[in-house]
Amino acid sequence: MLDAHLGTMLTLCIVVATLSLTLSDAHITTTDLSTEPEGASFLCGDDGHAPAGCFRRSDTTMRSESPHYERQPPASRMAKDEGAGRGLYNTAEAAAAFHVNRLDWVYSSNASWVRQCHDAGIRAVSLSINGNLADTGSHPATYTVGRARTVDGAMVSAPWMRTWSTVPYRGCINNPDYRAVVQSAVSAVVAAGTDAVQHDDWSTNEGSVAFDGGDPHSSGCYCSYCMAGFTGALINSSMNASARQRYNVTSAFNYKDYILDHGATTADKNATLRGLFVEYQQNSTQGYFRWLRRLLATLKPGGVPLGCNNGGIWSATTDLSCDFGMGELPKHAATPAGLEAIFRDTVPAGRQQLMTMPKEGIITPSDVLLTRWAIATAYALGGNMLAPWDVYLPTPSAARFWGSAAHFGDLYAFVRAHAAVFDTQNVSVPNELPITLSFELVHTGASGDRGRFNLPSDTAHPAAGSCIPAASLASCEYVCTTDPLCVAIYSDDPRSCCALHSPLKVINGTSLTGRSYLRRNCSFTPAGCGDKPPPFTCTDCDKVSIYARRGATATGTSVIGIHLVNFDLIPSANSSGTLDVRLGNTALFAGAECGSFGLQLLVPNKSDVVLSPSCSADRLSSIVTIPTPQPWAIVLATSTA
């Protein structure tokens, strides 16, 4: 249960890592001294031939910390755990209630249970290992074999685990004895039939060396294997004679003794060899994952996908090592910008990111709405989110949260019912795609009704506001939404944008070709907006995020899914409201005309609806009116060409 954060078959090797830092009086060039050959290639992607353990965008999944057979949780769990779903404890029953087709992050090597899951329709199961595995065969668990060590020789533990009743000490992945522990654990889960291996606490030595700010008395590893490996890396680098003499780098050099001789906090130690030692441990960790991927390829023909508990952050090591990422989502990161970074902006090509519900030590009733929004946003961005059941909470007692399927199950059922929509739309459409909610075209300039709003640049009756270069209509709209005084925009797309303040004046007979848009006031004003005088109200439109994803059906038909996700968490205020969604025809499908492509509305708990759009005055846009998402709707545009 190590989800707080963020051999005989193969030769066990000590990693001698690459060093590439510049010292004040020495230069160590980049030299690949690793004894680890390349790992097995990545297994997942969009080519349709990925193993079962790879994530699909339509996968719905949940944790089961371990297999739960009982229908009711034990009294010890009920006493400290949280959530309206605590009465549902059996893993199989919970999976059915939440409409999941995967189980992930499970600590077990029970082959019978894995078979039962597959027989019950669970598409994939990932069993877990971690960076602090128990000694092979120990019952109760002990943690002494091949452990990471401080400079004082004490075993290293993660700071967040030091209060646990049994402290799981970190393994050293440069120690052959701990590699044997890992090999035994990996062999057991592969033999049990796991479809993927999830590596909890993936950072191993790379993380251990940074504990407590790198304090050598509580971080590591400074075991004999790491010291020999680090010395070998220094000797085999191109360190010049001056540096070798200064640090007395010979075959007898020992970095642990150097620290103890010079004191743990000397400026010299921190400024020079400390940086090289950190890099050595990072490269050691990358070598460990190369070894692990080769081990998995050896144990199962075709390999086993490998996931890492990366916290939603792809580092150099996880980028080089993991087929998919899993992570725990802190509540403060549950914002549109936060989830966009996690699920869209930083995920390497061909990988998939999975996160838990937003969480903190105490889950409140209002967090149900936040979690529903987060689930919708994760899938709209092309990611996945674990069902909120059997989720670790960051509390001293290591409590868990058991959400109710009545609160969240409909969203996962929605994803499964439209699996083809999610799986075939694999390209995120750029933000410049003209899909607008908050602005209404009112004048079309010289090329249309020859009307426009007055501009700040006009000699007579200049408007208040400002004009700037703008690459697109979408970016012009964004300028206005960030200006609390902006009531309209004038866009000479793609050349310029004017954000206009009240009062507005209509100029007829204009020779300018740009178009004027009025900022819409929608059907309600959310809480917190009442301090702005009319007409400067914020609207429900400002609370709706738009994410568009492009793909094609099996027959090659082009499809764009336009996800609208409502970040306003007061549904009673706008449950009866509507939104006008304006779609740029040619930007969606080249050469498309108004009404020339199919539109459907997909909403959780509702039947799919065919939409009949109206056309804008210039016939460049198709406009549909939909109910305000609660929290999620998809407008599905399908090319008929």
Side-chain angles (χ1 to χ4, degrees), residues 311-637:
I313 301 172
W314 289 85
S315 67
T317 298
T318 54
D319 193 0
L320 291 169
S321 308
C322 307
D323 291 291
F324 55 87
M326 295 189 182
E328 295 164 89
L329 179 64
K331 187 175 178 180
H332 67 79
T335 65
L339 296 196
E340 287 162 14
I342 290 171
F343 290 109
R344 184 190 64 194
D345 299 340
T346 61
V347 180
R351 318 296 173 81
Q352 195 72 5
Q353 182 65 53
L354 168 76
M355 297 296 285
T356 68
M357 61 179 283
K359 60 181 188 174
E360 55 187 3
I362 298 175
I363 303 298
T364 65
S366 64
D367 289 331
V368 170
L369 296 176
L370 177 65
T371 299
R372 285 180 61 82
W373 167 85
I375 294 168
T377 302
Y379 281 96
L381 289 165
N384 309 79
M385 184 163 284
L386 285 156
W389 188 85
D390 200 358
V391 176
Y392 172 91
L393 296 178
T395 65
S397 62
R400 306 190 79 81
F401 177 78
W402 307 83
S404 169
H407 292 156
F408 309 107
D410 63 315
L411 298 179
Y412 294 103
F414 177 65
V415 173
R416 294 304 309 144
H418 298 92
V421 172
F422 292 90
D423 287 337
T424 58
Q425 294 174 12
N426 54 15
V427 177
S428 182
V429 176
N431 293 335
E432 287 72 20
L433 184 67
I435 303 167
T436 65
L437 299 173
S438 303
F439 297 85
E440 179 180 5
L441 179 63
V442 291
H443 293 293
T444 55
S447 60
D449 68 354
R450 299 187 63 82
R452 64 171 174 83
F453 289 133
N454 55 328
L455 307 178
S457 57
D458 288 344
T459 302
H461 308 292
S466 60
C467 295
I468 61 170
S472 67
L473 174 60
S475 59
C476 189
E477 291 174 351
Y478 178 77
V479 170
C480 185
T481 58
T482 60
D483 179 352
L485 297 180
C486 181
V487 295
I489 58 175
Y490 171 85
S491 175
D492 189 12
D493 183 13
R495 291 178 290 277
S496 65
C497 163
C498 295
L500 308 177
H501 300 173
S502 185
L504 299 174
K505 180 177 176 61
V506 177
I507 306 297
N508 292 309
T510 181
S511 61
L512 301 182
T513 58
R515 295 188 282 274
S516 297
Y517 295 80
L518 186 66
R519 188 171 180 180
R520 299 179 67 238
N521 288 320
C522 299
S523 56
F524 81 105
T525 300
C529 297
D531 57 340
K532 298 179 181 179
F536 313 122
T537 57
C538 60
T539 70
D540 56 340
C541 299
D542 299 322
K543 292 284 187 176
V544 177
S545 299
I546 307 170
Y547 305 112
R549 301 186 66 80
R550 187 186 301 275
T553 66
T555 59
T557 302
S558 296
V559 179
I560 293 181
I562 301 153
H563 298 255
L564 301 110
V565 189
N566 189 0
F567 189 50
D568 183 68
L569 303 180
I570 313 174
S572 60
N574 63 348
S575 57
S576 60
T578 60
L579 292 178
D580 286 345
V581 182
R582 183 183 301 268
L583 309 171
N585 299 327
T586 58
L588 287 174
F589 304 111
E593 298 179 355
C594 189
S596 67
F597 46 87
L599 292 172
Q600 278 185 293
L601 178 64
L602 316 179
V603 179
N605 298 309
K606 303 287 185 182
S607 298
D608 298 348
V609 176
V610 175
L611 297 172
S612 299
S614 59
C615 298
S616 62
D618 58 8
R619 299 194 62 81
L620 297 177
S621 301
S622 299
I623 305 169
V624 293
T625 300
I626 67 170
T628 301
Q630 299 298 335
W632 190 12
I634 303 174
V635 175
L636 194 65

Side-chain angles (χ1 to χ4, degrees), residues 183-222:
Q183 182 160 320
S184 176
V186 171
S187 299
V189 297
V190 172
T194 191
D195 297 293
V197 172
Q198 190 270 346
H199 201 305
D200 211 352
D201 295 308
W202 68 269
S203 62
T204 58
N205 285 31
E206 180 177 328
S208 297
V209 77
F211 288 162
D212 300 318
D215 183 346
H217 299 286
S218 56
S219 67
C221 174
Y222 298 88

